[in-house]
Structures are given as structure tokens and as C-alpha cells.
């Protein structure tokens, strides 16, 4: 009986077998990838260079942009190369590395979004204690905890997944490597170990989600008590981008993994996968910059300085 050690490569699901559509897929993904690189890169550079943005909220936003850059870079370059060179092959080690990096970055991003909801809660509900509760040291520790938790979780899931014997072929029904697709190839009841880990991970995900919801309930109550309309508008403006990013992240991910089997199909699964892996990293910079005048002013100042310097 074959096992994982006898598999040297996997076959990814192709978007299409038509050469013209493969090239269209390449150019479409290239445009999205470049937009994500530009948007997140500008946010990172602007926050790093502007002293006025060296606050907890923008520090966490910088970390979010770095995670978005990493997650989209884990998926899109390989997919673009596969379409450009008309190949479905990904090596065993490449697949393991892709799963590890993607799980690491996605989990770290959700933990960071949870931390960012705490930041908004303290800023609006406990403004007098903001500097104490979220000093520079506390911010670094919270961000580091999000990265470290994502890293350890990814290491555990990846090691456990690729320790399973695989004997059901090497074709994956997905355009990138992900744990559920690898589990479908397992021929051992040991896959129950991974199911246990997934249940544990889902429990943590649920607790984080509840924390975010409770935080925003408290934020909403505090905002509605603000006497001036201008004050309420300013408070909402600092929260809406984060709330929109969380909603996009959670809704696409939950639909991808919790949709009813009755509506599942290869084409729909492919579209949904693109929605939760590609769209959030590309759209997040736009969401955060649209309603944030302070960030837009700093960005234009940076761009103007670069052009005038030349």
C-alpha cells in the first residue's frame, strides 16, 4: 500500500483547459496581485515613515498589511505560473510549505483582527486608560502573540496532516494546497487526529469571533452615548474599516468551509476559494484608506515627497 512517502507531487485543480482562458486567468490574477502588493506596500511604507501614524491602531494595521502581503504571495504566484506554463504539478515539499505558510498567515491575521477589536474597544470605551493599556510594549506583545499563535498552530496542523498515509491518488480538487484536500487522500483513521485539531481550532476561532462581537456591542453602546453628532461620526469612522475587514474575512471563510454540500460544485468551490484567499488581501487596503483621512493625508504626503525628490 502506498503512503505519503511514495508521493513526490500533487496535481492541482486547473481553472480551465482552454489556453486562451488560462492566459486570461494569468493576467487577471497578475492584476489583482500587483494591486494587493501596491496597496499593502503603500500602507506599510506610509505608516513606517510618518511619525504621526506611530500609534497602536496604525501599528496593528501595518502588521495586518504584512500578513495580507504574505498570504496572497503564498497562493497567487504558483497559480499564475501554473496557468502560464499550463501545468498542474506542485511538488510534495512545495505543497507542505504552501499549507504551512497559508495556515500560519490566515490564523495570525484573524488573531490580529481580534487584537484590533480590543484596540478599538479600549480607544472608545476606556479612552483615559488607552495609553496605559496599549503602550508600545503591550502593542508589540499583542502583535507578537498573534504571529506566534498562528505559527505554532500552522506547524502543528501541517506536521500532523503530512504524517498521515496517503493512498487515494495525488489529485487535489483545489487550485492550491489546503488541509481538507490532503485529508481526502488519506487512507488511515489517523485523519481523526486532524479532525480533532480542526475542532480545537474552530473552538478558538469561535471564541475570537465572540470576543469581537462583544467588543463591538460595547463600542456601539459607548458611541450612542456620545452627545455630539460629530463625535459619534468620528468614533464610527475609526471602527467601520475594521468591522468591514472582519466581516469580509469571516463571511468568505465561513461560506467556503461551512456551505451545505447540496450547493457544492467544483466551479462554485473554485469561485468561493478565490473570494476568501485573494479578495480580502487585495481589498483591505482600499477599505482602510477610503474613510481614513489621516491615512490618506499621510499617503499623499509620502507620494508628493517622492515625486518632488525626483
Amino acid at each position: 500500500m502506498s503512503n505519503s512517502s511514495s508521493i513526490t507531487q500533487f496535481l492541482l485543480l486547473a481553472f480551465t483547459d482552454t489556453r486562451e482562458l488560462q492566459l486570461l486567468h494569468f493576467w487577471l490574477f497578475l492584476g489583482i496581485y500587483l494591486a494587493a502588493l501596491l496597496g499593502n506596500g503603500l500602507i506599510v511604507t506610509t505608516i513606517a515613515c510618518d511619525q504621526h501614524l506611530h500609534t497602536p491602531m496604525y501599528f496593528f494595521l501595518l502588521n495586518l498589511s504584512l500578513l495580507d502581503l504574505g498570504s496572497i504571495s503564498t497562493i497567487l504566484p504558483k497559480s499564475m505560473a501554473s496557468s502560464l506554463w499550463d501545468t498542474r504539478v506542485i511538488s510534495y515539499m512545495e505543497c507542505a510549505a504552501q499549507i504551512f505558510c497559508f495556515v500560519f498567515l490566515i490564523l495570525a491575521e484573524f488573531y490580529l483582527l481580534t487584537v484590533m477589536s480590543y484596540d478599538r474597544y479600549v480607544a472608545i470605551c476606556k479612552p483615559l486608560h488607552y495609553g496605559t493599556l496599549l503602550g508600545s510594549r503591550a502593542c508589540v506583545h499583542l502583535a507578537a502573540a498573534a504571529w506566534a499563535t498562528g505559527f505554532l498552530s500552522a506547524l502543528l496542523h501541517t506536521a500532523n496532516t503530512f504524517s498521515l498515509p496517503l493512498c487515494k491518488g495525488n489529485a487535489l480538487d483545489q487550485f492550491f494546497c489546503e488541509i481538507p484536500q490532503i485529508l481526502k487522500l488519506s487512507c488511515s483513521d489517523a485523519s481523526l487526529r486532524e479532525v480533532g485539531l480542526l475542532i480545537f481550532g474552530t473552538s478558538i476561532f469561535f471564541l475570537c469571533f465572540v470576543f469581537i462581537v462583544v467588543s463591538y456591542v460595547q463600542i456601539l453602546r459607548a458611541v450612542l452615548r456620545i452627545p455630539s453628532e460629530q463625535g459619534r461620526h468620528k468614533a464610527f469612522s475609526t471602527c467601520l474599516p475594521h468591522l468591514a475587514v472582519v466581516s469580509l474575512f469571516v463571511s468568505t471563510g465561513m461560506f467556503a468551509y461551512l456551505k451545505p454540500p447540496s450547493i457544492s460544485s467544483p466551479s462554485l468551490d473554485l469561485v468561493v476559494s478565490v473570494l476568501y484567499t485573494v479578495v480580502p488581501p487585495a481589498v483591505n487596503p482600499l477599505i482602510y484608506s477610503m474613510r481614513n483621512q489621516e491615512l490618506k493625508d499621510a499617503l499623499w504626503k509620502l507620494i508628493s515627497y517622492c515625486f518632488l525628490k525626483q
Side-chain angles (χ1 to χ4, degrees), residues 5 38 105 200 203 259 262 271 309:
S5 62
L38 178 62
L105 295 164
F200 177 72
S203 301
K259 64 181 181 298
S262 57
V271 171
K309 189 177 181 180

Side-chain angles (χ1 to χ4, degrees), residues 42-43 46 289 294-304:
L42 283 174
I43 285 182
T46 302
S289 60
E294 190 176 24
L295 183 60
K296 286 193 286 188
D297 291 342
L299 179 60
W300 283 117
K301 187 190 302 183
L302 177 66
I303 294 174
S304 300

